[in-house]
Amino acid sequence: MPRHTETRNLPWTPEQLFDLVADVGHYQDFLPWVAATRIRSDSDTLMIADLVVGFRSLKETFTSRVEKQRPEKIRTEYIDGPLKYLQNSWTFKPDGKGGTDVGFCVDFAFKNRIFESLAGQMFDRALRRMIGAFEERARALYGDGASGEGGISNSRAQSAA
């Protein structure tokens, strides 16, 4: 059961980062392993979305409920797919210097023990790649950010696989 919690300070505003994370319809444009997305319903506070995630010949569809509290929080709950469960949350807090303290937590478990074993072996590397993809996307959309520094000024992470 992989779990990861992390806090990063990023040079973009909470509104910018919230909009980036909430833009599930564009995940296939920048997130590794996301082959397609389908938004079933969307409002200011709630989205139901499908993500098709693939690695080589393996492809699975995940359906999630995304609760949005702009610009402070995004919380994702798993509805259907190959997992036992998935919980994911993002928090966005102004750091007082024009940037944002971003909190990220993901906790999930596969139904299939083979997938669970593979996920545990690749989890940290895959997670770093995905977090990096969000940062690259923010830089592409918003430039180097309010602080004028591209990238992370502080990071604290904790994983358990």
Side-chain angles (χ1 to χ4, degrees):
M1 296 180 287
R3 177 181 172 81
H4 180 84
T5 301
E6 183 166 347
T7 302
R8 290 186 181 217
N9 179 266
L10 298 175
W12 302 285
T13 68
E15 291 81 7
Q16 289 172 318
L17 293 169
F18 178 96
D19 290 344
L20 171 65
V21 173
D23 190 13
V24 175
H26 284 99
Y27 278 11
Q28 75 270 9
D29 296 340
F30 68 95
L31 279 179
W33 308 294
V34 176
T37 57
R38 183 179 84 175
I39 307 302
R40 293 185 184 195
S41 64
D42 193 14
S43 73
D44 288 341
T45 59
L46 180 65
M47 175 190 306
I48 305 295
D50 296 330
L51 283 124
V52 178
V53 178
F55 181 73
R56 296 188 181 154
S57 63
L58 297 173
K59 290 210 185 321
E60 293 286 348
T61 300
F62 298 80
T63 303
S64 298
R65 170 189 172 98
V66 181
E67 297 175 3
K68 302 179 281 183
Q69 296 176 335
R70 188 174 200 279
E72 296 89 18
K73 186 190 317 187
I74 295 176
R75 194 177 98 125
T76 303
E77 288 188 28
Y78 175 73
I79 295 174
D80 190 33
L83 300 173
K84 285 183 192 175
Y85 67 88
L86 165 69
Q87 295 175 339
N88 173 277
S89 65
W90 297 81
T91 58
F92 311 96
K93 296 179 182 170
D95 67 2
K97 301 174 203 161
T100 303
D101 290 326
V102 179
F104 172 74
C105 180
V106 62
D107 185 13
F108 68 94
F110 281 97
K111 292 176 187 172
N112 182 309
R113 288 182 190 254
I114 294 170
F115 283 173
E116 185 73 24
S117 175
L118 288 171
Q121 293 172 18
M122 298 174 46
F123 182 67
D124 284 335
R125 187 174 67 189
L127 191 65
R128 280 193 303 272
R129 189 167 170 201
M130 291 184 77
I131 290 170
F134 274 103
E135 288 186 39
E136 288 174 26
R137 179 71 168 181
R139 194 169 287 108
L141 292 174
Y142 309 127
D144 283 338
S147 70
E149 305 168 19
I152 305 161
S153 58
N154 187 13
S155 177
R156 295 180 304 280
Q158 181 179 34
S159 291

